[in-house]
Amino acid sequence: KKFCPGFGIYQKHKKKTEQEILYGPIVSPVVCGHATNKTINYQASSGGIITALCIHLLKNSLVDGILQVRQSHKDPTRTEPHLSSTIEDVLECMGSRYAPCSLFEHLREYLSTGKRLAVVGKPCDIAALKQYMAVYPEKTCNIL
């Protein structure tokens, strides 16, 4: 309850216009792009931006692992959390999964490794993670 964004959404940004009151803060500038790798661009979601960024992070040793979701190997109708540490892992997680998943099911275990982590999640996942990080900065300092 303490970290679930559904129990209370807090935004530091003060809403100024009628549009912001209705839709939330306006992010500017809005930019668009896509992965330059044609396979990733075609097979991934939204032009492959997230997949390409994850590969870049691993290739350049900016992180040791990426917490993300993938299709379950046991049941393809299920989505499961996965810690990707190779490009092949990232490619296996490519594409959107429009299903509930407990992304942070093994978070304590991942954090205990001391490895530098990136996290890919739905907006509510990231909001919950940010709240958790604010309460436990010493435990989450390896999340980049």
Side-chain angles (χ1 to χ4, degrees):
K1 234 179 172 178
K2 190 177 193 178
F3 306 110
C4 177
F7 280 98
I9 297 173
Y10 172 75
Q11 294 182 355
K12 293 179 186 176
H13 175 80
K14 298 285 182 211
K15 296 172 180 99
K16 298 174 186 158
T17 67
E18 189 177 322
Q19 229 179 357
E20 286 185 314
I21 291 167
L22 187 58
Y23 299 112
I26 297 170
V27 179
S28 181
V30 174
V31 296
C32 64
H34 60 84
T36 55
N37 178 298
K38 289 185 190 277
T39 303
I40 292 172
N41 181 300
Y42 180 74
Q43 291 181 355
S45 298
S46 303
I49 292 281
I50 300 291
T51 301
L53 287 172
C54 289
I55 289 171
H56 174 80
L57 291 172
L58 287 172
K59 247 186 193 177
N60 293 286
S61 300
L62 298 171
V63 297
D64 302 305
I66 299 168
L67 178 56
Q68 53 189 154
V69 298
R70 69 176 180 194
Q71 176 180 308
S72 168
H73 289 167
K74 294 177 185 170
D75 179 358
T77 65
R78 307 224 11 115
T79 301
E80 65 185 17
H82 182 69
L83 184 61
S84 297
S85 57
T86 67
I87 292 167
E88 292 74 25
D89 285 343
V90 170
L91 293 174
E92 186 181 343
C93 296
M94 188 167 45
S96 293
R97 296 290 299 174
Y98 298 104
C101 177
S102 180
L103 179 61
F104 304 118
E105 187 176 338
H106 306 289
L107 184 62
R108 285 185 188 161
E109 177 187 328
Y110 298 148
L111 292 174
S112 71
T113 66
K115 293 181 177 181
R116 298 165 301 153
L117 301 176
V119 179
V120 176
K122 300 180 301 298
C124 60
D125 296 328
I126 302 305
L129 179 62
K130 284 183 173 184
Q131 289 177 356
Y132 185 80
M133 291 173 73
V135 174
Y136 299 110
E138 69 287 349
K139 292 181 181 181
T140 57
C141 60
N142 55 329
I143 297 176
L144 307 176

